[in-house]
Amino acid sequence: MDDVKSNDSLILYIQNLFHDSADLIVRKISWKDGDGIVCFLSTMTESSEVNKQIEILRLRSIAELPNWAGTATSSVEAFSVPKLIKTVTNGFVAIFFPATNLLLTITIPSFEVRSTTEPNNEIVIRGAHEGFVESIDKNISLIRKHLLISDLVVKDVKLGEDTNTKVTYVFIESIADKDVVNEVKSRLENIDRTKIYSIGQIEDYLEDSLWSPFPQFLNTERPDRAVANLLEGKIVLFTDQSPSALIAPVNFFSFYETPDDFNGRVIVSSFFRMLRIFSFVIAVFLPAYYIAVVGFHSEVLPYDLSMKVKTAVEFIPYRPIVEALIVELFIEVIREATIRLPAPIGPTIGIVGGLVIGDAIVNAGLVSNLMVVVVAMTAISSFVVPSVEMNTTIRIIRFPFMLAATLFGFFGIAIGTIILFIHLMNRSSLSQPYLSPVVPFDPSRFKNIFFRIPYFKNHKQQQTFTHGTGRRKRRGRN
Amino acid sequence: MKKIILISIVCSFLLVGCWDERLFKDITIVPLIAYDGKQGSWTGYFTHAVVAKPDSISFSTIQGSGVSIEDTRLDANRKTGELLDPSQVLVVLLTTEAAKTNPIETFDIAYRMPRTRLSGRLVVVEGDLAQYHKKTENMGKELPDYYEANLKTAELDSVIPDINIQSAARLLLDEGIDLQLPYMKMSEATGTPGVEGVALFSDKVFSGHTLNAKESTIIQILKKKPGKSAMFTYKWKKEDKDYPVTVTQNKVKKKWVITGNSIHATYKMKFSVNEFAFDHLDKERSRKELEDFLSKELTKDFNDVVKKLQEAKSDPVGFGRTVRAFHPQLWKKGKWQDTFAELEINVKVEAEITRTGILN
């Protein structure tokens, strides 16, 4: 009777541990030598599967197999309360045997996992149409599916005392640079924060320079993109419950590559690659250039064009910078609004905002139609970049250029460009140079910026961006 | 304190730079300028764009006078609403009197200031300037566009050389070659200005001599710098009937033999026949006949043109450059223009028909 009593109090004790959660199931089951207490969260575990597993284990224990508890899904260890809590919260089934003081863990979690649909923000025309989901196991399996090699290493780090989030980094042992892998490992281990739940937080901790507008990690939800980067010796990071993977070390031009390039034909892909680089220039410099021309250097316009510009700007009440800011902010507001809008009315608002107000604002004489053309071209160009973070960066850095152009004209743009390039050259991603094939100059990879080189050409296996000498090494040598 | 310093640094950025700002809406484009006068007293006519209401542009001309061409602009500026900006200038008209001042000195401002559009054209016009600013119905375009288009066509037809404000300075500073500028005249029938030929400069100033369109074309061929096409028309007499023959110059090879006091120039020219009603060019004999005829006529015309150049003491062909490079004793005789006028120059043209059109 004592046994029964103590088991009942144990059940109460466990229920108290979880503050009487409604989805907590604590039951007594009879076992070969004494009772056991089954404990799991019904919301995270498949209840019918629990019965099957318990039945298998019971048969094994009756048959008195030497290691009856050790199967593919179960293991046994000494009991302790923190272990019990961890097991249950992870969605596993815990069976506690008070008689032998053992904790049997059965791993049969059942979470609702979204199916692997194509990510909305990285759509490709040719290529795989699957995307990462909110489950780390599924994500890793999506990668492993592509890379059937033993060299693919998956490492876990648990971060955050409160959230206990699993951060996983994946790399190919034979290709990835050891220094970079160690760098990631040490940076991850140095994160001391109790609550870690999103990949964005990890990015903050891992970035070399947080205050740079340029992203130093490539964010992707596409397995094929992750795999292609793994094969270039890069490291892919996941957090559990997040469909985005972080890829590093990357350089500036990595953000301009898309799986379409590698699935498309050589000439077509090369053309679009050049187009994307060109669109970067347009997106950053076009409004600034227009402001500088209209405000300072009207003599650079050819005569015929100058007449058109003249008629356009003659009756605008504002200075060019104010005019540009009105349209730029207007477009940014439309963009921000359409993200939040429900899908059925999003396009409608886009049309109302873009066409109706855009037309009215020109007719009202607030901004010139040329400014609308310039800003619209800029906005479209900034969306050409296949990466969301780089897209936002480009949209932001055009404002300092517009300011420089309105203060100093072409001279301001030149100074701004110099500052931009100095900034880019000084950036690094996991201590690897950010502007890599350009600075330091690597002629063999330089052409890859503009062309998609045919596959049958011999590629040099890319490991680091610096001919094998990392930045830190060089610093150390000096 | 730190904050105040930071704020004042940031604010100072907003203050600087504005002094060279020239908002495009506050300046007015001046595509056509005309100058009259001489050293020390100039009159300028500035044809500038007026935007009276959105999407409509018209041109009006304003007059200013002063001691230099920049002074005339400043004077005219006081009579206009917006700042006159000559940085978009397409065509600059000079009266024959104004052309008698060295253009390098006249246009010092244009060469000195970085904003000037150096690809604008310089043109010498005959007579009073006021008539050149009237837009007539048959121009079809705005006044400045008309001048630009008219000159462009003449340049393609090899009537005028491809000379702009920039290359004019280069030619003026070169002692071995003289400047030639397009010469425009009012057409009495239509009342619109048109290209007449070229105005010859002698030693940096207008010589007073001009050439007509055909003679100007010959100069461009003598220079071996024709435009897109150079055509000649002659009357060919056969069996008491006139057959007009028009030929287009395809290829030209020149050879100059320069001795102590003479220049013998041979031009081998290849022609394609545009118009020749007599036909039978497929026959060797009639072709030979036409070639001889063309050679004779062209030789005569070419020599006439060279005579005119010597009269004007003007060497736009650039014989002087070759003389300077290879015949120093001839070059050192004195001022090249004087030496050139005294030289015995013979031009011989050898015409060859290479294309006869699709008839034969």
Side-chain angles (χ1 to χ4, degrees):
Chain A
M1 281 307 280
D2 271 4
D3 238 23
V4 176
K5 216 183 205 169
S6 72
N7 281 349
D8 285 345
S9 64
L10 248 174
I11 289 172
L12 272 177
Y13 172 73
I14 292 171
Q15 277 173 341
N16 270 335
L17 270 181
F18 290 91
H19 310 283
D20 266 335
S21 264
D23 60 344
L24 180 76
I25 292 177
V26 190
R27 298 272 157 77
K28 204 162 65 180
I29 53 162
S30 53
W31 208 257
K32 189 170 64 98
D33 27 64
D35 286 343
I37 296 168
V38 181
C39 174
F40 62 93
L41 291 168
S42 62
T43 45
M44 292 174 82
T45 315
E46 198 71 50
S47 304
S48 59
E49 191 66 20
V50 174
N51 278 345
K52 272 187 216 160
Q53 291 296 325
I54 289 175
E55 216 42 56
I56 292 168
L57 285 166
R58 200 200 302 277
L59 287 174
R60 283 172 66 99
S61 78
I62 291 168
E64 291 193 345
L65 294 174
N67 184 18
W68 60 268
T71 69
T73 55
S74 63
S75 63
V76 72
E77 53 194 330
F79 173 80
S80 72
V81 174
K83 262 184 202 158
L84 175 78
I85 292 174
K86 201 174 154 189
T87 311
V88 173
T89 50
N90 274 337
F92 304 153
V93 179
I95 305 175
F96 170 47
F97 301 109
T100 48
N101 207 29
L102 284 177
L103 182 73
L104 178 68
T105 309
I106 310 173
T107 322
I108 35 170
S110 100
F111 305 112
E112 275 314 309
V113 174
R114 188 163 59 93
S115 61
T116 57
T117 50
E118 177 155 36
N120 275 331
N121 52 2
E122 287 173 86
I123 290 179
V124 298
I125 294 166
R126 290 180 66 177
H129 295 290
E130 58 184 10
F132 288 133
V133 291
E134 286 80 358
S135 152
I136 199 154
D137 296 330
K138 200 151 184 182
N139 292 348
I140 303 288
S141 81
L142 283 171
I143 287 186
R144 283 224 183 256
K145 229 167 58 177
H146 285 92
L147 298 167
L148 310 172
I149 49 171
S150 63
D151 256 0
L152 184 69
V153 181
V154 180
K155 294 276 188 200
D156 278 353
V157 179
K158 289 269 166 119
L159 290 178
E161 281 167 31
D162 288 3
T163 50
N164 211 2
T165 308
K166 187 158 81 171
V167 178
T168 311
Y169 56 100
V170 184
F171 56 94
I172 298 179
E173 175 69 31
S174 52
I175 305 173
D177 189 2
K178 303 276 176 306
D179 291 343
V180 179
V181 175
N182 290 337
E183 181 90 26
V184 171
K185 190 167 174 250
S186 70
R187 283 192 198 184
L188 279 175
E189 280 165 357
N190 283 335
I191 298 176
D192 55 338
R193 196 187 149 94
T194 47
K195 294 179 179 65
I196 293 278
Y197 46 84
S198 86
I199 195 85
Q201 289 175 310
I202 308 281
E203 194 174 353
D204 266 15
Y205 281 101
L206 293 185
E207 273 191 339
D208 294 35
S209 34
L210 187 59
W211 295 108
S212 164
F214 288 93
Q216 294 132 46
F217 281 80
L218 182 63
N219 211 315
T220 186
E221 292 187 24
R222 299 193 62 86
D224 48 355
R225 208 171 181 184
V227 167
N229 279 293
L230 278 173
L231 286 169
E232 285 178 4
K234 288 165 191 167
I235 300 171
V236 178
L237 288 119
F238 294 96
T239 52
D240 206 356
Q241 314 310 324
S242 164
S244 318
L246 289 182
I247 298 171
V250 287
N251 57 34
F252 175 74
F253 303 101
S254 309
F255 292 92
Y256 279 89
E257 289 169 4
T258 145
D260 268 339
D261 285 358
F262 302 100
N263 293 323
R265 300 186 61 248
V266 172
I267 288 178
V268 178
S269 305
S270 302
F271 170 73
F272 286 115
R273 195 169 272 193
M274 281 187 269
L275 191 76
R276 283 194 286 267
I277 300 287
F278 174 69
S279 79
F280 168 78
V281 177
I282 293 283
V284 174
F285 295 105
L286 187 64
Y289 181 79
Y290 178 75
I291 289 170
V293 166
V294 171
F296 288 80
H297 313 281
S298 50
E299 68 272 9
V300 303
L301 292 170
Y303 169 73
D304 294 324
L305 182 60
S306 78
M307 295 311 252
K308 297 249 183 288
V309 179
K310 178 73 180 161
T311 48
V313 300
E314 186 69 13
F315 293 99
I316 304 304
Y318 301 112
R319 301 166 61 78
I321 179 74
V322 182
E323 196 190 341
L325 285 177
I326 289 175
V327 197
E328 283 282 359
L329 291 177
F330 175 60
I331 285 196
E332 290 297 303
V333 166
I334 292 179
R335 192 199 61 85
E336 192 67 18
T338 41
I339 295 175
R340 311 272 176 268
L341 283 168
I345 58 167
T348 322
I349 298 295
I351 290 168
V352 171
L355 295 181
V356 179
I357 303 181
D359 189 44
I361 210 168
V362 171
N363 284 338
L366 293 180
V367 297
S368 63
N369 43 15
L370 271 171
M371 184 59 93
V372 174
V373 170
V374 165
V375 173
M377 263 178 77
T378 313
I380 296 294
S381 302
S382 69
F383 284 103
V384 167
V385 50
S387 151
V388 182
E389 300 87 58
M390 192 50 102
N391 167 5
T392 46
T393 301
I394 288 169
R395 289 211 314 272
I396 288 170
I397 60 170
R398 85 168 69 118
F399 289 103
F401 275 98
M402 279 156 64
L403 197 66
T406 197
L407 292 177
F408 303 103
F410 284 166
F411 179 68
I413 298 180
I415 295 293
T417 313
I418 291 169
I419 292 173
L420 175 73
F421 274 92
I422 291 174
H423 177 81
L424 280 174
M425 280 176 218
N426 280 314
R427 292 288 70 73
S428 56
S429 166
L430 288 180
S431 306
Q432 301 288 320
Y434 193 59
L435 209 58
S436 166
V438 183
V439 178
F441 187 63
D442 182 353
S444 69
R445 284 194 302 120
F446 183 72
K447 57 183 183 295
N448 286 22
I449 297 174
F450 305 104
F451 303 104
R452 204 273 266 165
I453 312 295
Y455 286 119
F456 57 75
K457 292 263 164 93
N458 274 333
H459 285 261
K460 200 168 71 179
Q461 177 61 54
Q462 184 182 335
Q463 288 197 326
T464 60
F465 298 125
T466 47
H467 311 285
T469 41
R471 244 168 87 96
R472 276 164 306 122
K473 279 184 199 159
R474 265 187 298 165
R475 263 198 208 140
R477 208 167 52 199
N478 288 344
Chain B
M1 192 58 204
K2 241 184 185 173
K3 230 179 208 171
I4 295 170
I5 292 171
L6 195 75
I7 288 170
S8 40
I9 288 173
V10 169
C11 287
S12 69
F13 272 106
L14 297 172
L15 298 172
V16 292
C18 299
W19 56 74
D20 26 320
E21 184 181 62
R22 298 198 319 170
L23 288 180
F24 195 36
K25 66 173 178 179
D26 296 339
I27 58 182
T28 179
I29 305 163
V30 185
L32 174 66
I33 310 178
Y35 292 115
D36 189 12
K38 55 182 191 295
Q39 197 116 41
S41 111
W42 289 94
T43 316
Y45 298 83
F46 299 87
T47 305
H48 61 95
V50 180
V51 188
K53 53 181 193 290
D55 302 327
S56 95
I57 240 169
S58 59
F59 288 89
S60 94
T61 305
I62 199 115
Q63 192 190 336
S65 51
V67 293
S68 71
I69 63 162
E70 177 65 356
D71 200 24
T72 63
R73 186 179 72 85
L74 294 174
D75 186 38
N77 223 357
R78 288 191 277 273
K79 302 167 195 162
T80 52
E82 294 173 331
L83 184 73
L84 291 173
D85 180 24
S87 67
Q88 297 277 359
V89 69
L90 289 178
V91 179
V92 178
L93 306 180
L94 292 169
T95 57
T96 44
E97 199 202 338
K100 282 187 172 142
T101 314
N102 183 358
I104 290 240
E105 289 163 20
T106 313
F107 292 103
D108 187 64
I109 174 97
Y111 298 119
R112 203 173 289 279
M113 300 309 288
R115 278 182 191 272
T116 322
R117 184 170 182 266
L118 286 174
S119 52
R121 293 170 190 275
L122 280 172
V123 178
V124 179
V125 295
E126 185 209 55
D128 185 25
L129 273 182
Q131 54 187 331
Y132 289 93
H133 292 109
K134 284 193 200 93
K135 194 194 159 200
T136 55
E137 285 293 314
N138 50 10
M139 279 184 185
K141 298 177 168 187
E142 294 294 345
L143 199 63
D145 300 283
Y146 170 77
Y147 278 105
E148 170 71 12
N150 191 283
L151 290 162
K152 182 86 197 159
T153 314
E155 189 190 313
L156 291 178
D157 284 345
S158 314
V159 177
I160 56 167
D162 177 16
I163 288 174
N164 53 31
I165 299 176
Q166 183 178 355
S167 52
R170 185 168 52 79
L171 294 173
L172 284 165
L173 293 170
D174 193 333
E175 287 168 38
I177 192 164
D178 280 310
L179 181 65
Q180 46 167 339
L181 286 182
Y183 183 63
M184 278 185 136
K185 216 174 176 179
M186 234 33 211
S187 154
E188 276 167 24
T190 56
T192 47
V195 172
E196 176 67 19
V198 294
L200 298 172
F201 278 60
S202 173
D203 193 22
K204 299 184 180 33
V205 294
F206 178 46
S207 64
H209 291 77
T210 59
L211 299 179
N212 67 22
K214 186 176 181 182
E215 291 161 342
S216 310
T217 313
I218 290 172
I219 300 247
Q220 312 319 326
I221 289 176
L222 279 169
K223 265 182 92 176
K224 262 193 88 178
K225 285 241 172 79
K228 208 169 175 69
S229 67
M231 287 194 243
F232 295 96
T233 306
Y234 290 103
K235 259 192 243 162
W236 193 58
K237 275 201 168 66
K238 185 88 180 176
E239 294 153 9
D240 295 335
K241 241 179 123 183
D242 278 347
Y243 294 100
V245 48
T246 307
V247 287
T248 306
Q249 180 267 141
N250 284 336
K251 218 173 188 179
V252 58
K253 269 188 189 167
K254 71 170 189 204
K255 198 182 172 196
W256 293 346
V257 180
I258 300 169
T259 58
N261 54 1
S262 69
I263 298 175
H264 293 280
T266 314
Y267 283 81
K268 283 186 182 164
M269 296 170 73
K270 290 184 177 171
F271 288 105
S272 63
V273 178
N274 294 17
E275 176 181 47
F276 186 55
F278 183 74
D279 210 358
H280 305 303
L281 278 173
D282 47 347
K283 287 186 183 113
E284 186 63 36
R285 199 169 59 88
S286 53
R287 186 192 294 223
K288 189 84 188 49
E289 210 175 326
L290 183 61
E291 280 173 359
D292 290 346
F293 169 75
L294 283 174
S295 303
K296 200 182 96 230
E297 292 289 322
L298 285 167
T299 305
K300 194 172 120 279
D301 283 347
F302 272 53
N303 279 310
D304 286 352
V305 169
V306 171
K307 288 273 143 21
K308 282 198 173 176
L309 294 182
Q310 285 179 312
E311 252 170 60
K313 288 194 174 184
S314 168
D315 175 20
V317 181
F319 288 110
R321 283 185 164 172
T322 315
V323 170
R324 191 182 188 178
F326 301 109
H327 304 276
Q329 72 285 4
L330 184 57
W331 176 258
K332 282 176 186 155
K333 259 188 183 171
K335 216 169 83 175
W336 169 245
Q337 278 80 5
D338 298 333
T339 321
F340 173 72
E342 301 299 315
L343 276 177
E344 185 202 333
I345 302 176
N346 289 312
V347 186
K348 199 177 159 220
V349 179
E350 291 167 13
E352 191 194 337
I353 307 256
T354 50
R355 290 186 213 167
T356 57
I358 53 173
L359 265 182
N360 36 36

